[in-house]
Amino acid sequence: MKGYVFHGPGEASWEDVPDPGIKEPTDAIVKVSAVTICGTDLHILKGDVPEVRPGTVLGHEAVGEIVETGGDVRTVRPGERVLLSCVTSCGRCRYCREGVYGQCLGGGGWILGHTIDGTQAEYVRVPYADLSVHPLPGTLASEDAVLLADIFPTSYEVGVLNGRVRPGDTVVIVGAGPIGLAAIATARLFSPERIIAVDLAPARLEAARRFGADAVAEVHEAPHQLVADLTDGLGADVAIEAVGVPDTFELCTRVVRPGGHVANVGVHGKPATLHLEDLWIRDVTITTGLVDTYSTPTLLRMAAAGRLPTGQLVTHTFPLEQMERAYDVFSRAAETGALKIVLGGEQHELAVPTA
């Protein structure tokens, strides 16, 4: 089969790889029908995730059809269309029993496209299939469903829920890429008073307005002053970091109010300074986290009912075999206007304003 293989920082290609096979009785083999590219994949290509070894097929988000199952798989069977979760769960270890699947000790957690071959291929082996894939309703299109493999549960769990967004809050979301936009959409479920989006790219700030941001600011336009002006000097109740660079994390700690929450979602490849000389007295709570995907069944029901703007995030689609072109378009998002790219299904490009 074909897969998109990582060969080291800056090097990857769509090439022949061995077909996956059942290794454990809890495995399933899935024929991929729709897959997407994550910002984390770009971090891997930059060398920010050294655990990913050369020769690994990338990708951790997909929709597909079960074609084979191991003897212990009970909840899905060949022929079913399923969503592949970005996080795998053994279901037995301490963390899985607590619903903290991202920290699975039994061989799960984030493994697809990380420590084992991932989803950016024609077929993929999914360990612990009973707990790591979700049957899909026929009404939910694959290109919509695939966004529930990672970005929506990540934004919702690690950003909105960890940040404890409540009705009447002021929420600042730093980074208006796909994760930030999904955070805007899911923060709105809790009726905050206002959502302020911060980004470098005017096109992404315009997208943030479409997703429900009440105010936007470019990074170089003193966003901390805008937050102060809108909150009578108090600051944000919740600041969500959705980029993964030191400057954006530090910005979040500057705009949050005393007693507020900073929820870090971004994948960081470099150290960020924690200014405890300023923060120690301000009762600020800082959370980090890998998504656990415990919210995926709920989000799937909401998407099927039309309650999540999943389709609005997809700006480009390509055939699966055009993986290299798709990566090029996604990596140049400021030029191409790309938000989320889906490979497989109907191909189209939405008219998105660019910077």
Side-chain angles (χ1 to χ4, degrees), residues 89 91-101:
S89 167
R92 297 189 298 269
C93 73
R94 171 179 174 174
Y95 286 115
C96 287
R97 288 178 180 274
E98 294 175 356
V100 188
Y101 308 126

Side-chain angles (χ1 to χ4, degrees), residues 226-243:
L226 172 64
V227 174
D229 291 344
L230 291 174
T231 60
D232 295 324
L234 183 65
D237 300 285
V238 182
I240 297 175
E241 198 285 329
V243 181

Side-chain angles (χ1 to χ4, degrees), residues 339-350:
L339 292 175
K340 202 66 176 167
I341 289 176
V342 173
L343 293 102
E346 242 181 274
Q347 280 74 64
H348 63 85
E349 292 190 14
L350 298 183

Side-chain angles (χ1 to χ4, degrees), residues 12 17 20 35 69 72 74 111 148 155 160 176 206 218 220 224-226 251 260 343 347:
V17 293
V35 67
T69 58
D72 289 349
R74 297 288 181 267
I111 57 175
L148 301 177
S155 300
V160 174
E206 181 57 36
E218 291 194 35
H220 302 303
H224 57 283
Q225 187 58 54
L226 172 64
L251 174 60
L343 293 102
Q347 280 74 64

